[in-house]
Amino acid sequence: MAKKSAYERPTLSKAGTF
Amino acid sequence: MSWRLRDRVSWAPTEYGGVLLDCASGEYWTLNSTAAAVLAALLAGADIAGATAHLAGEFDGDLDVVAVEVPQLVAELQGAGLVVER
């Protein structure tokens, strides 16, 4: 069975403007 | 309840998660890998419970924690005007 990736809190970050 | 990107918002998965471009405001946003997995599940038609189950299956997380944090992310996406209900 494949090892699962480590869980981290889902984050949405405003990165800037284009 | 299912979700879609708001008009003029574009989604690009990346090696570390993903980027959302808001072509109406000119703002762009980054998502980490777990947030990108949630968004991908939502855009594929999953509801919040389905996205939570998907994330818990893909990552080594406590389901109780995931079940709290996924709705928080969806609220952030909605609050930022990036996703809307279908």
Side-chain angles (χ1 to χ4, degrees):
Chain A
M1 183 176 167
K3 184 180 178 184
K4 294 181 182 179
S5 301
Y7 176 79
E8 57 183 20
R9 178 187 177 87
T11 59
L12 170 71
S13 305
K14 186 175 174 182
T17 58
F18 60 95
Chain B
M1 182 186 306
S2 60
W3 304 84
R4 65 170 177 82
L5 294 177
R6 189 169 58 83
D7 293 343
R8 300 201 68 189
V9 172
S10 298
W11 160 239
T14 66
E15 58 189 302
Y16 59 83
V19 178
L20 285 165
L21 302 173
D22 184 339
C23 296
S25 68
E27 297 172 335
Y28 70 101
W29 308 73
T30 58
L31 291 81
N32 65 3
S33 58
T34 47
V38 171
L39 181 60
L42 295 174
L43 298 181
D47 59 10
I48 290 177
T52 299
H54 171 73
L55 192 61
E58 290 285 315
F59 291 85
D60 185 17
D62 183 323
L63 183 57
D64 291 339
V65 174
V66 176
V68 170
E69 294 182 344
V70 168
Q72 290 175 344
L73 174 71
V74 176
E76 285 184 63
L77 289 165
Q78 191 176 23
L82 298 168
V83 300
V84 293
E85 295 174 33
R86 280 186 216 263

